[in-house]
């Protein structure tokens, strides 16, 4: 008999709804291969929430939200006056999935959601970078003090397993440097400029037509998203204390088709690279900028909207991971992976309010 795991979701945007649909699509696999029945008991949103002690049909709930634009009027426990924090306090769930929009400077409302959930002994998985860039170590310590687990794979490049590789596969090694192609939109544009000869503006328009780039692509193409992810990964994996505003940053909007073509003639491939490195004084410094990588560099092969990360270590040499979907489904899959890994950890199923 499958073990029941009661969860709630705060934030029902594209990632939250993708997670709900993935949860339903994978239900048989989760029961058969992992012995789990993950039950969705509530979803919290700013304009109303829904809670049901008997559980909710995840995909149908996503459809309802898209049709009605909210959850407060849902016939199976709609609470028009409730926000996510009310759901965390009242739902009696064992795990919070946090997918609210990111506020990099304040971390809110996710920071309050996560602190409240951890304080109640709930496990947390998050796709939200905001709370962890400035508060990672204090939140992890708070989680340990309350017998809860905190995972944030989806916040650090979605489906690309950046943190998993560093924390598990490279355990015992010191990470000396990180290089990452961490933004799929920018990488797609640079790939198009190189392969088709398009200008930056033409490649951006094509990315927007395909839904790869936002209408306002500033966060992606000017390097903000890469800087945010790099700071988070460096803080988690290198023990750094970087803030995004301390990461030097140059975007790709100033690159010309002629520069990209000339680099190719010289055997170099432009990528928007985030690099963090520990200096002789022990401090970690970081920068994001377009770089003409030699063709034999492992990140030179990261084409299209894919991402990649290279860790340079003291004992394991250089290790690179490439791929991972750069879309809401990839982030949803990372959230599900974190739930499964929490469950598989020794003693997890017995802890707190998890089951």
């Amino acid at each position: 008999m499958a073990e029941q795991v009661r969860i709630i979701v705060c934030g029902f945007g594209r990632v939250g709804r993708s997670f709900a649909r993935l949860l339903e699509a994978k239900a048989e696999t989760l029961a058969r291969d992992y012995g789990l029945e993950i039950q969705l008991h509530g979803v919290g949103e700013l304009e109303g929430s829904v809670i049901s002690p008997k559980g909710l049909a995840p995909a149908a709930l996503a459809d309802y939200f898209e049709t009605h634009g909210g959850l407060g009027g849902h016939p199976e426990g709609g609470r028009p006056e409730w926000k996510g924090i009310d759901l965390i306090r009242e739902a009696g769930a064992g795990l919070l999935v946090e997918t609210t929009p990111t506020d990099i400077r304040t971390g809110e409302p996710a920071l309050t959601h996560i602190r409240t959930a951890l304080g109640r002994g709930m496990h947390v998985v998050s796709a939200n970078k905001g709370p962890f860039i400035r508060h990672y170590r204090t939140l992890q310590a708070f989680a340990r003090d309350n017998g809860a687990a905190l995972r944030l794979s989806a916040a650090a490049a979605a489906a690309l397993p950046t943190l998993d590789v560093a924390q598990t596969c490279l355990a015992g090694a010191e990470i000396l440097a990180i290089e990452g192609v961490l933004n799929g939109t920018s990488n797609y544009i640079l790939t198009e400029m190189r392969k088709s000869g398009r200008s930056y503006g033409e490649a951006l328009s094509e990315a927007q037509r395909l839904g790869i780039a936002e209408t306002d692509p500033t966060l992606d193409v000017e390097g903000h998203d890469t800087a945010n992810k790099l700071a988070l990964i460096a803080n988690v994996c290198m023990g750094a204390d970087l803030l995004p505003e301390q990461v030097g940053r140059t975007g790709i909007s100033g690159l010309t088709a002629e520069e990209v073509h000339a680099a190719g003639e010289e055997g170099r491939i432009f990528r928007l690279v985030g690099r963090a490195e520990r200096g002789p004084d022990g401090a970690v410094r970081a920068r994001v900028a377009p770089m003409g990588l030699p063709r034999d560099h492992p990140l030179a092969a990261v084409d299209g909207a894919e991402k990649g990360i290279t860790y340079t270590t003291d004992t394991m040499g250089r290790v690179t991971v490439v791929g991972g979907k750069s879309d809401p489904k990839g982030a949803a899959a990372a959230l599900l992976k974190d739930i499964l890994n929490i469950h598989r950890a020794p003693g997890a199923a017995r802890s707190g309010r998890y089951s």
Side-chain angles (χ1 to χ4, degrees), residues 121-286:
M122 296 171 63
H123 301 311
V124 175
V125 301
S126 178
N128 196 315
K129 292 183 285 293
F132 306 109
I133 289 175
R134 289 171 167 81
H135 305 286
Y136 171 72
R137 278 192 280 279
T138 58
L139 288 172
Q140 281 289 12
F142 190 53
R144 287 192 298 271
D145 290 345
N146 286 277
L150 174 61
R151 299 290 181 98
L152 51 145
S153 292
L160 183 71
T162 56
L163 303 185
D164 306 76
V165 169
Q167 294 179 306
T168 301
C169 301
L170 301 180
E174 181 184 358
I175 295 173
L176 305 174
I178 298 171
E179 290 179 296
V181 174
L182 301 174
N183 183 264
T185 298
S186 294
N187 204 50
Y188 177 86
I189 291 170
L190 292 175
T191 300
E192 280 296 296
M193 291 174 70
R194 176 172 59 88
K195 290 187 172 180
S196 69
R198 287 184 168 121
S199 68
Y200 165 78
E202 291 168 339
L204 170 59
S205 295
E206 177 66 6
Q208 290 170 324
R209 185 185 71 80
L210 295 173
I212 295 171
E214 301 285 348
T215 303
D216 180 359
T218 303
L219 289 177
D220 295 321
V221 300
E222 296 302 336
H224 295 282
D225 178 66
T226 299
N228 293 337
K229 290 172 181 171
L230 181 64
L232 175 58
I233 295 168
N235 291 348
V236 173
C237 302
M238 300 179 74
D241 288 301
L242 285 173
L243 300 177
E245 51 267 31
Q246 296 172 321
V247 179
R249 182 179 47 78
T250 302
I252 66 169
S253 59
L255 275 180
T256 66
E258 291 74 21
E259 288 175 299
V260 173
H261 176 74
E265 292 291 303
E266 297 169 358
R268 296 179 295 114
I269 297 176
F270 266 111
R271 301 287 181 221
L272 182 64
V273 177
R275 178 175 175 83
E277 185 173 15
R278 192 179 304 281
D281 59 355
V284 176
R285 296 175 178 84

